[in-house]
Structure formats: structure tokens, C-alpha cells
């Protein structure tokens, strides 16, 4: 799978921005320029596919906080608009999905006053001939392409907090909708990890085979156990841990009811240091290792400021893990660290995209309105 492009409008600092995307996408910039809003816009697309877009926007402060914060034109329907274009290599199919969310009209009695309301959606599929609309939603009404190949009205109306893409996907009768949902549902977003003493990363977890790391890191011990005792190949993981943590070796016993792990350091070869004894930087690096080197790689891995709490000596091993993960997954990185950006560029050949403020809105330095970056275009 490849996320080929994204578009976001009227979301926080994103007035209107479209970007072509590559296998590794690296964003760097100062505080307050809106790097995390780009990352968050992708999360909201996944939330729409999962059916909890309205909840996610409400949880970040509702539409009053989520709508474009700058000067607004006199627009009748001022809405957040999100679009993605995704290539499914296996099927040789391109999916284009758009969703728009806005506020409840003053005269509308349906829904709560300040909750986000899904206004429009569209899913278009292209197989090389011409684009075909598979689903189109306006208000509560949904039109969908049925088994006959014709657009027909879906018998159920969507609530204002529901997305049609989730409603149709749950119905199980529309294979293209289901295929698109599975692609997007597989994305993984890691916005840092809790590292306090009650952090999920420091706890044993139920011994259940875990091919992927949960987004809160709560199954990290099971991810390590799956690599050690199911795959039986941890050469790259062992190398990364040793390089970042002073020659340390991961200790993962055969799981019983719970999966557990510890670290053995060269200076104390007979002692196993438990997760509760590790520093914030050490436990966070292990979380990143589990995210990037799991048994099965997700189609897209997004890391928001992965350098937080890491010693500078850990950034080169982190870049090595990112380069290894990029062989199987599309990567999205938001960082403040010039050192990490330089290390990733060296290993992946990807130039950092510098995020700036342009007329109050988040923008990419050197990017055209079409979404092409000048320097990248020259390199091709």
C-alpha cells in the first residue's frame, strides 16, 4: 500500500494544503508551525474509516477548536475537509476518499450543538480506465454502487456523527469499501509513549501472540516474545538495542500466563534489569523498536517527535531502525531534531520537508500549490 497524496482544509492551522507523498516522509520545523496537525489530519482519516471521527474531533475540543483558526472568508458551509489517495499495489487499484465535517445548522434540531457533524463523503476507485464512484454521501443519505453496477440508495440513513464508509463497511456487502477500510485501519500512529512508572510499556502483558505493537505500547512484552519465540530471528533487533543502550541485550523468557522482558547490561552480566528500573529514554527506545521491528509491518507507520527523551547517541540507531522498517512500510516522521532528520536522510535518501507558517497557515517550504516540492521534482 502507498499513501500517494493527502489534502486537508480548514483544520486547525491547515487552511488548505495538498501534498504528494513518498515512501519515507520526514517533516521538521519549529514549535507552533503545525507539524503535528499534518500528522493528526491523517489520524482523523483513519478515525473516519473506523467510524469514530466525530468522537475524535470532540475529544480534542470539538469543532470550535478543530476548525481553521485564522481569518475566514464568508463561506456558507465552512467545513473541515480531508482527502487521501491510496494505491493498493496487490489489486492495482487506486482509492480516493473524501470526508467533510462541519457544525450543526442553527435551525437543525438533530445532534448536539457543538459536536462535529459529518456532511459529505465520497469513495472513488480507479483501476486504470476511468474513476468510478463507489459511494457518495450527502447529509444522511447514502448512494452506493450495488452488485448490478448501478448507484442505488442505501436503505439506512446515516446519523450526523456516523461515517458512511464505516456504516457500509460493517454491512459487509461492498468489497471495495471493505478493502479500503482494511488498508487504512492497518495504519499505526505513535505519538510518544508514556514512560512513568505506571506506563503500559513497563508492565507485563497477557501472553498472546502479537504481530503488531498496539498504539499505546501495552503489548510490547508480547511483541518481543513473538519475535524471540515465534520468529526466532532477532538479529536486527538485538543490534539496534545494543547500539542504542550501551551494548545491552534484550532478555525475553518463554511466556507463561504473561509475557515479560528485561535488559542485561555488559557491566552486570548476571543481573536482569526489569522495565521499572529503566530510564525514560531506555524504555521509550524499546517502544520505538517494537513499533518499527514487529513481526508484521503495518502499511504505514507514523511517528510524532520520536526523539523525545532520547539521548543523542540513540538517534543514529533509531534512524537505522527507520530505514529497516521503510523496506516494508511507508514512514511518516514529525521531528524537531536536526540530528535525527540528517541521520534519516543519510540512510533513506529522503530530504526533510521543512514545515513553516505562510500567511498564518501551515505550509511546506518550497512546495507548489499542486503538492510537488521543488527540490524533489528536480531530483527526479
Amino acid at each position: 500500500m502507498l499513501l500517494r497524496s493527502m489534502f486537508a482544509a480548514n483544520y486547525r492551522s491547515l487552511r488548505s494544503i495538498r501534498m504528494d507523498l513518498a515512501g519515507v516522509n520526514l517533516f521538521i520545523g519549529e514549535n507552533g508551525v503545525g507539524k503535528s496537525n499534518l500528522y493528526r489530519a491523517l489520524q482523523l482519516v483513519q478515525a473516519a474509516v473506523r467510524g469514530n471521527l466525530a468522537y475524535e474531533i470532540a475529544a480534542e475540543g470539538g469543532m470550535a477548536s478543530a476548525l481553521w483558526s485564522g481569518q475566514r472568508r464568508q463561506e456558507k458551509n465552512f467545513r473541515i475537509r480531508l482527502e487521501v489517495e491510496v494505491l493498493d499495489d496487490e489489486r492495482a487499484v487506486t482509492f480516493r476518499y473524501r470526508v467533510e465535517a462541519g457544525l450543526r445548522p442553527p435551525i437543525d434540531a438533530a445532534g448536539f450543538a457543538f459536536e462535529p457533524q459529518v456532511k459529505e463523503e465520497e469513495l472513488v476507485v480507479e483501476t486504470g480506465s476511468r474513476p468510478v464512484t463507489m459511494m457518495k454521501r450527502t447529509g444522511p443519505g447514502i448512494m452506493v454502487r450495488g452488485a448490478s453496477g448501478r448507484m442505488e440508495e442505501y436503505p439506512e440513513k446515516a446519523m450526523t456523527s456516523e461515517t458512511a464508509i464505516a456504516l457500509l463497511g460493517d454491512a459487509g456487502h461492498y468489497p471495495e469499501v471493505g478493502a479500503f477500510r482494511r488498508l487504512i485501519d492497518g495504519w499505526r500512529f505513535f505519538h510518544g509513549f508514556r514512560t512513568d512508572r505506571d506506563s503500559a510499556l513497563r508492565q507485563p502483558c497477557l501472553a498472546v501472540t502479537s504481530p503488531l505493537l498496539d498504539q499505546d505500547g501495552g503489548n510490547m512484552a508480547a511483541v518481543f516474545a513473538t519475535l524471540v519465540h515465534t520468529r526466532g530471528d532477532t538479529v536486527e533487533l538485538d543490534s539496534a538495542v545494543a547500539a542504542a543502550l550501551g551494548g545491552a541485550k534484550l532478555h525475553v523468557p518463554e511466556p507463561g500466563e504473561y509475557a515479560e522482558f528485561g535488559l542485561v547490561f555488559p557491566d552486570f552480566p548476571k543481573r536482569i534489569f526489569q522495565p521499572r528500573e529503566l530510564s525514560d529514554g531506555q524504555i521509550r527506545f524499546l517502544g520505538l523498536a517494537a513499533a518499527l521491528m514487529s513481526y508484521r509491518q503495518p502499511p504505514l507507520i507514523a511517528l510524532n517527535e520520536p526523539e523525545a527523551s532520547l539521548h543523542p547517541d540513540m538517534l543514529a540507531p533509531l534512524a537505522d531502525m527507520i530505514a529497516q522498517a521503510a523496506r516494508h512500510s511507508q514512514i511518516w516522521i514529525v521531528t524537531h531534531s536536526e540530528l535525527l532528520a540528517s541521520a534519516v536522510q543519510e540512510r533513506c535518501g529522503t530530504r526533510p520537508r521543512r514545515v513553516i507558517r505562510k500567511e498564518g497557515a501551515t505550509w511546506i517550504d518550497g512546495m507548489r500549490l499542486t503538492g510537488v516540492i521543488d527540490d524533489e521534482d528536480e531530483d527526479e
Side-chain angles (χ1 to χ4, degrees):
M1 185 221 79
L2 180 67
L3 174 63
R4 296 172 63 173
S5 68
M6 67 161 290
F7 172 79
N10 300 327
Y11 175 63
R12 293 190 176 273
S13 65
L14 308 180
R15 182 62 183 96
S16 179
I17 187 167
R18 182 183 301 276
M19 288 189 294
D20 291 339
L21 299 170
V24 177
N25 303 277
L26 179 59
F27 301 91
I28 189 168
E30 303 298 326
N31 285 326
V33 295
K35 302 184 303 299
S36 294
N37 291 338
L38 293 168
Y39 170 98
R40 180 63 175 153
L42 277 189
Q43 278 189 301
L44 291 180
V45 171
Q46 187 184 66
V49 165
R50 291 178 170 179
N52 55 7
L53 174 65
Y55 177 86
E56 286 292 323
I57 293 177
E60 64 178 59
M63 289 297 290
S65 296
L67 280 170
W68 160 248
S69 52
Q71 279 192 326
R72 302 178 186 175
R73 304 187 189 97
Q74 293 298 317
E75 297 179 24
K76 184 178 180 180
N77 297 315
F78 196 79
R79 301 170 179 175
I80 293 171
R81 179 175 172 181
L82 304 169
E83 297 180 30
V84 292
E85 180 180 296
V86 177
L87 172 64
D88 182 351
D89 282 321
E90 290 186 4
R91 298 168 177 260
V93 172
T94 297
F95 295 94
R96 296 187 183 89
Y97 174 67
R98 169 178 60 86
V99 60
E100 297 185 17
L103 286 165
R104 189 190 79 180
I107 59 173
D108 187 1
F112 302 130
F114 299 107
E115 74 172 343
Q117 297 200 342
V118 180
K119 304 291 188 180
E120 292 187 24
E121 290 175 84
E122 186 176 40
L123 178 66
V124 175
V125 172
E126 186 174 341
T127 57
S129 53
R130 60 184 180 85
V132 178
T133 300
M134 303 306 301
M135 176 273 294
K136 191 174 180 67
R137 177 252 186 94
T138 303
I142 304 171
M143 298 296 293
V144 61
R145 193 167 298 278
S148 66
R150 296 181 178 180
M151 296 296 284
E152 55 192 39
E153 187 174 359
Y154 188 66
E156 189 172 350
K157 301 294 185 183
M159 296 181 66
T160 55
S161 61
E162 292 180 309
T163 52
I165 195 79
L167 198 61
L168 294 174
D170 290 338
H173 305 305
Y174 307 101
E176 293 84 2
V177 174
F180 176 72
R181 287 188 76 203
R182 286 190 294 274
L183 288 174
I184 307 307
D185 188 61
W187 294 355
R188 288 294 181 270
F189 295 87
F190 298 102
H191 183 68
F193 296 105
R194 279 184 55 189
T195 56
D196 57 89
R197 69 178 184 180
D198 296 323
S199 163
L201 274 67
R202 297 186 186 274
Q203 311 304 319
C205 67
L206 291 172
V208 177
T209 303
S210 299
L212 290 171
L213 183 68
D214 293 342
Q215 292 185 166
D216 68 351
N219 66 335
M220 183 167 75
V223 169
F224 287 147
T226 301
L227 288 169
V228 172
H229 299 289
T230 300
R231 174 182 286 174
D233 178 5
T234 58
V235 173
E236 292 180 344
L237 175 63
D238 291 340
S239 176
V241 170
L245 305 181
K249 182 171 179 57
L250 199 61
H251 173 79
V252 184
E254 181 79 31
E257 183 179 356
Y258 291 92
E260 302 178 274
F261 71 92
L263 284 180
V264 177
F265 291 93
D267 292 342
F268 304 94
K270 295 184 178 181
R271 184 184 169 195
I272 300 171
F273 285 77
Q274 299 302 313
R276 65 178 178 274
E277 301 178 87
L278 303 179
S279 71
D280 287 357
Q282 289 169 333
I283 200 73
R284 191 182 296 273
F285 184 87
L286 291 175
L288 291 165
L292 291 163
M293 308 185 80
S294 55
Y295 182 92
R296 183 174 296 129
Q297 293 298 107
L300 182 142
I301 302 173
L303 306 175
N304 194 12
E305 300 180 16
E307 73 278 5
S309 299
L310 299 189
H311 188 279
D313 290 346
M314 297 180 182
L315 298 184
L318 173 57
D320 288 335
M321 293 194 301
I322 289 169
Q324 290 164 9
R327 295 181 300 197
H328 307 286
S329 301
Q330 190 171 13
I331 306 293
W332 178 290
I333 306 166
V334 173
T335 181
H336 290 294
S337 172
E338 298 282 354
L339 185 59
L340 177 61
S342 177
V344 171
Q345 180 178 1
E346 180 182 342
R347 288 157 177 79
C348 300
T350 300
R351 291 190 181 186
R353 299 183 174 194
R354 191 159 296 277
V355 185
I356 60 172
R357 284 278 191 168
K358 183 178 180 182
E359 298 178 357
T362 296
W363 196 251
I364 307 298
D365 193 25
M367 188 171 73
R368 305 174 193 171
L369 293 176
T370 58
V372 175
I373 309 293
D374 287 337
D375 288 344
E376 293 176 353
D377 190 44
E378 290 170 4
D379 290 342
E380 294 177 354

